[in-house]
């Protein structure tokens, strides 16, 4: 039975960060101030240009005696350069790879369940959550230099959620250690590893202030207790929308229930605006998304495609007061298979700041998709769309997720 969506808690201070140009300096500042521990999870950890600044900060922290634990995804992150491996090992950085890809790559269904979260906690004092990888805004591992920074967001947060983020990262760390021990020493080794890695006492924190602060919740998606929480949080907020829904999402292939929520909102008079990927990045996500546009356009949904660079954001603002920022796309990989983490926020000031940035991108950097233009798209494009959808449906059938559509 799915775990319920966590309630919003008050007492948080939030800062919206756009792109690596804002995220990396904030991350480096927090890591350089660390005294006890740094936890970092990311899908991609790259060593090019500005992303190296974050890795250097991790090395500096470890060399001054801070416990530094890093988890990267085995598919998203390529092999670590040898020079960096030696430096980080010597410094004492504890590095783990989540689900390393085997000899058959992603051809086996078991390899499709990836670690897509982007989280960091420093001294249980400050946390970061969002969609930004440790990857320079102007560099792409597959496409090379980019003409403009990719559009993406993260949140820096202080308050009660920091301990929850740390606990979520600790649980994953323990499970990874147990699975490693199981492979090496069988069941007894796994049990020994679990006993040895029981949670340490929480780090000392400053006494809470009386200030109300922003209301927020950490919403996780995994394959255990939190299988549908992020999608349900989206659908609940869309279902309650009264005036406006704005969503910016990189890989947008919503299932039946999500499509119905958006269509129903538009039909009851809510302004629904979607900012979606306009540049070709990956075949499946690019072409499987477009057949969905038709029903949305007919319902009155405004669709704009972002094309100055890659859109990588996974954010939404509803009625100017509810917002979410995180790692989860609105597609089957994120909503059904990958480990994801979003912050859900109720704070008018934060929501309005994000809303203003999204509306600027829609007006100045997005190309509107007109219903007539969509209906006249070339036959070749329709064929590629059909192929992408068939392949995606087949993959979902193999995973036992046929009801998504």
């Amino acid at each position: 039975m799915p775990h319920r969506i966590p309630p919003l808690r008050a007492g948080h201070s939030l800062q919206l960060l756009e792109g690596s140009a804002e995220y990396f300096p904030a991350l480096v500042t927090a890591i350089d101030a660390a005294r006890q521990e740094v936890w970092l999870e990311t899908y991609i950890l790259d060593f090019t240009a500005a992303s190296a600044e974050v890795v250097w900060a991790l090395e500096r922290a470890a060399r001054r005696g801070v416990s530094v634990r890093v988890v990267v995804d085995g598919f998203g992150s390529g092999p670590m350069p040898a020079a960096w491996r030696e430096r980080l090992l010597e410094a004492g950085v504890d590095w783990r790879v989540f689900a390393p890809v085997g000899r058959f790559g992603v051809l086996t269904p078991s390899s499709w369940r990836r670690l897509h979260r982007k989280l960091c906690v420093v001294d249980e004092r400050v946390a970061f959550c969002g969609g930004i990888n440790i990857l320079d805004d102007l560099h792409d591992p597959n496409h090379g230099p980019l003409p403009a920074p990719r559009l993406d967001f993260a949140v820096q947060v202080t308050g009660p959620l920091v301990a929850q983020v740390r606990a979520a990262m600790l649980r994953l760390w323990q499970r990874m250690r147990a699975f490693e021990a199981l492979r090496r020493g069988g069941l007894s080794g796994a049990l020994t590893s679990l006993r040895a890695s029981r949670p340490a006492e929480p780090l000392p924190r400053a006494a809470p202030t009386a200030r109300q602060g922003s209301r927020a919740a950490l919403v996780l998606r995994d394959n255990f207790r939190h299988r549908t929480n992020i999608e349900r949080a989206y659908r609940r907020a869309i279902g309650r929308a009264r005036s406006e829904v704005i969503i910016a999402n990189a890989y947008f292939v919503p299932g039946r229930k999500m499509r119905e929520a958006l269509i129903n909102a538009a039909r009851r008079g809510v302004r629904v605006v979607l900012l979606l990927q306009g540049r070709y990045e990956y075949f499946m996500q690019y072409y499987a998304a477009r057949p969905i546009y038709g029903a949305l356009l007919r319902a009155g949904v405004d669709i704009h495609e972002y094309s100055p660079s890659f859109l990588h954001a996974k954010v939404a603002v509803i009625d100017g007061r509810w917002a979410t920022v995180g790692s989860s796309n609105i597609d089957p990989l994120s909503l059904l298979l990958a480990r994801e983490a979003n912050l859900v926020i109720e704070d008018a000031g934060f929501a309005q700041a994000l809303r203003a940035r999204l509306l600027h991108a829609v007006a100045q950097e997005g190309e509107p998709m007109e219903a007539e233009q969509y209906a006249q798209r070339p036959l070749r494009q329709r064929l590629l769309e059909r192929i992408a959808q068939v392949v995606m449906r087949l993959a979902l059938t193999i995973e036992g997720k046929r009801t998504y559509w």
Side-chain angles (χ1 to χ4, degrees), residues 48-115:
T48 304
S51 55
E53 299 290 341
V54 178
V55 188
W56 281 327
L58 295 170
E59 179 189 358
R60 289 194 298 270
R63 289 189 185 280
R64 64 176 184 269
V66 174
S67 173
V68 179
R69 298 180 177 90
V70 178
V71 180
V72 302
D73 183 74
F75 179 77
S77 295
M80 189 191 307
W84 275 111
R85 185 184 303 109
E86 292 177 9
R87 291 179 59 166
L88 296 179
L89 181 64
E90 180 187 355
V93 174
D94 202 343
W95 188 281
R96 294 284 187 277
V97 178
F98 179 87
V101 177
R103 61 183 297 185
F104 297 107
V106 293
L107 296 179
T108 56
S110 61
S111 68
W112 299 346
R113 299 173 182 262
R114 308 312 314 173
L115 175 68

Side-chain angles (χ1 to χ4, degrees), residues 25-62:
L27 202 56
V28 169
T29 297
I31 294 170
D32 280 342
R35 296 184 176 183
Q36 294 170 285
E37 64 177 21
V38 175
W39 297 77
L40 177 70
E41 285 181 17
T42 184
Y43 180 66
I44 298 174
L45 197 154
D46 191 72
F47 297 84
T48 304
S51 55
E53 299 290 341
V54 178
V55 188
W56 281 327
L58 295 170
E59 179 189 358
R60 289 194 298 270

Side-chain angles (χ1 to χ4, degrees), residues 259-337:
R259 296 197 304 272
E260 289 175 353
L262 293 168
I263 289 170
N264 290 337
R267 286 176 175 168
R268 66 175 185 267
V270 175
R271 181 193 182 203
V272 180
V273 181
L274 304 179
L275 182 64
L276 307 177
Q277 188 75 267
R279 296 175 69 92
Y280 179 89
E281 187 175 9
Y282 302 113
F283 173 83
M284 189 75 68
Q285 290 91 336
Y286 184 83
Y287 284 108
R290 276 144 183 78
I292 293 164
Y293 289 5
L296 297 173
L297 290 168
R298 288 192 296 273
V301 174
D302 292 332
I303 299 177
H304 299 256
E305 294 190 319
Y306 184 86
S307 57
S309 186
F310 289 129
L311 173 70
H312 198 256
K314 303 98 167 54
V315 302
V317 180
I318 295 178
D319 290 346
R321 61 185 302 273
W322 183 98
T324 186
V325 178
S327 65
S328 182
N329 292 295
I330 300 177
D331 76 340
L333 183 60
S334 280
L335 295 180
L336 299 177
L337 299 175

